Amino acid sequence: MNDDTKTTTDPKKRRRIIIGVSALLVAALATGGAVAIYQHSASVQLAEVKEACAQSSETLRVARNKYDTLHDKDAAEAVKITDKQVEDAAVVTTLAKTYKEEAPDLAACNVEGVDALREATARIDKNAAWYEAHTADLSKAVNAVNESHDAKTLKDAKDALSKQLTAAQEKHKATDGKVKDDKTRKELKTLIDKAAKTKDGKDTEAMNEQAKQLKTLMGKVDASVKAKTDADRKAAEEKARKEAEAQVAAQAQTQQQYVVPQQSYTPTYTAPQQTYTAPSTPQYTAPAQPAQPATPSKPNTGGGPISGGHGMTGPCDAACQAEAMKPIQR
């Protein structure tokens, strides 16, 4: 009886044992599977975080390159423009402030662990956002300065061209008929018409170039005016010289044709008439005497009265004789 009973119960025990072992095996397998699943999940998560960090780093790299290119090229040129070269000085101040903004510290994915990678990714995303925002701000500031500079440049070019255009028009009008070569005035007029159209446009280079050309052509017109003035002066001087020479020649010819009338001339000498008036002699009247008989006249041995009839008696010396020789004024 007992042997049969043992034989009968052994299979039951074996089943229980098998079931228990199987349960243990299932539990073990379940646990191992869970661990495997967890490990797989952690690896996938780490890979995903690394991938996200790498993508953020690439975004940062692109944003930073755009900012650096703008900052080192266009912005570096625009920041050289002064407030005197723009219409609105405020844009220059804004650009200077934006240009000097300090960039954030570098962040990278060279860390271990999911949490560290997530933190690094967050910093990288923040930096990328800074570069994107400041690229936009810097680009806006650069454009504002350039536009204001262009507006000022255009205004200055128009003003300069207008000034030269006005001067050229006055020059062309004032020099009519006063140039040696009228070709210079025609060239100036052609450029005046061209510049008048250019002034209404926006081509600053053309305006500046035509302003220079107008100034040059006005100089040529002035030179032509001077050449004509000099030529006219020389012609007038030459005409005056020839007229003077002709007048001198005519006078010389007239003098050569004049004949002095012939005259006979016999030199004669007429002594100057002199008047001698003898000093008056007091008249003496002798007392009357009784008439006496006439006495015969005594011959004159001295040749008559020496005085030559002047009432002088007695001998006459040389002075007396010279005085007697003078003609008597009647």
Side-chain angles (χ1 to χ4, degrees):
M1 291 283 298
N2 293 333
D3 293 338
D4 294 332
T5 303
K6 291 179 180 180
T7 303
T8 304
T9 57
D10 285 338
K12 294 180 179 179
K13 291 181 178 179
R14 285 198 294 273
R15 283 197 297 271
R16 287 197 295 270
I17 292 171
I18 293 171
I19 293 171
V21 171
S22 297
L24 291 174
L25 290 173
V26 170
L29 291 172
T31 302
V35 171
I37 292 172
Y38 174 78
Q39 290 178 345
H40 176 72
S41 177
S43 297
V44 171
Q45 188 178 28
L46 180 62
E48 289 176 351
V49 172
K50 286 184 177 179
E51 178 64 22
C53 189
Q55 290 179 356
S56 295
S57 295
E58 179 63 17
T59 301
L60 173 61
R61 184 189 68 80
V62 173
R64 182 180 177 183
N65 286 344
K66 288 182 178 179
Y67 177 83
D68 289 344
T69 300
L70 174 63
H71 185 275
D72 297 341
K73 291 184 178 180
D74 292 346
E77 290 298 321
V79 80
K80 296 177 183 178
I81 298 174
T82 67
D83 55 355
K84 295 181 180 180
Q85 296 175 303
V86 294
E87 285 191 332
D88 183 8
V91 296
V92 174
T93 303
T94 301
L95 174 60
K97 182 179 179 180
T98 307
Y99 184 77
K100 294 178 181 179
E101 288 283 349
E102 293 186 3
D105 296 333
L106 292 176
C109 299
N110 55 349
V111 294
E112 297 295 335
V114 174
D115 293 338
L117 285 169
R118 284 175 177 171
E119 291 178 359
T121 301
R123 290 194 300 271
I124 291 172
D125 289 341
K126 184 178 180 180
N127 289 353
W130 186 95
Y131 280 108
E132 289 174 355
H134 281 74
T135 297
D137 291 343
L138 185 59
S139 178
K140 181 179 179 181
V142 169
N143 290 337
V145 169
N146 287 336
E147 289 174 1
S148 185
H149 177 260
D150 291 343
K152 181 70 163 54
T153 302
L154 178 60
K155 181 178 181 301
D156 292 345
K158 282 190 175 184
D159 291 345
L161 181 58
S162 296
K163 181 179 179 181
Q164 294 297 331
L165 188 58
T166 300
Q169 290 170 340
E170 293 176 353
K171 180 78 65 178
H172 181 267
K173 182 179 179 180
T175 56
D176 186 15
K178 298 180 180 180
V179 293
K180 185 176 182 180
D181 183 6
D182 198 56
K183 180 181 178 182
T184 55
R185 292 184 69 258
K186 291 181 179 178
E187 291 177 351
L188 181 60
K189 183 62 170 62
T190 300
L191 186 56
I192 287 173
D193 295 339
K194 183 178 180 181
K197 296 178 181 179
T198 303
K199 183 175 68 68
D200 296 331
K202 295 184 178 181
D203 191 344
T204 57
E205 292 184 1
M207 292 178 187
N208 292 331
E209 182 63 25
Q210 290 176 16
K212 292 179 181 178
Q213 292 175 354
L214 284 172
K215 186 176 181 180
T216 300
L217 283 180
M218 283 190 287
K220 291 183 178 180
V221 171
D222 288 338
S224 185
V225 170
K226 185 177 183 301
K228 186 177 186 304
T229 302
D230 292 343
D232 291 346
R233 176 178 54 79
K234 290 181 180 179
E237 291 176 352
E238 182 65 16
K239 181 180 179 181
R241 184 186 64 81
K242 289 182 178 180
E243 289 177 351
E245 290 178 352
Q247 185 176 3
V248 170
Q251 291 176 351
Q253 185 177 3
T254 302
Q255 291 177 357
Q256 289 176 359
Q257 292 176 352
Y258 177 74
V259 178
V260 180
Q262 295 182 357
Q263 295 180 354
S264 59
Y265 176 73
T266 302
T268 58
Y269 174 76
T270 303
Q273 295 181 355
Q274 296 182 355
T275 303
Y276 173 76
T277 303
S280 60
T281 302
Q283 298 292 327
Y284 173 75
T285 304
Q289 294 180 359
Q292 295 180 1
T295 303
S297 61
K298 186 179 181 179
N300 187 2
T301 60
I306 303 296
S307 62
H310 292 285
M312 295 182 62
T313 61
C316 183
D317 57 10
C320 175
Q321 294 179 2
E323 188 68 24
M325 291 298 294
K326 292 182 181 181
I328 298 174
Q329 182 71 30
R330 298 184 182 274

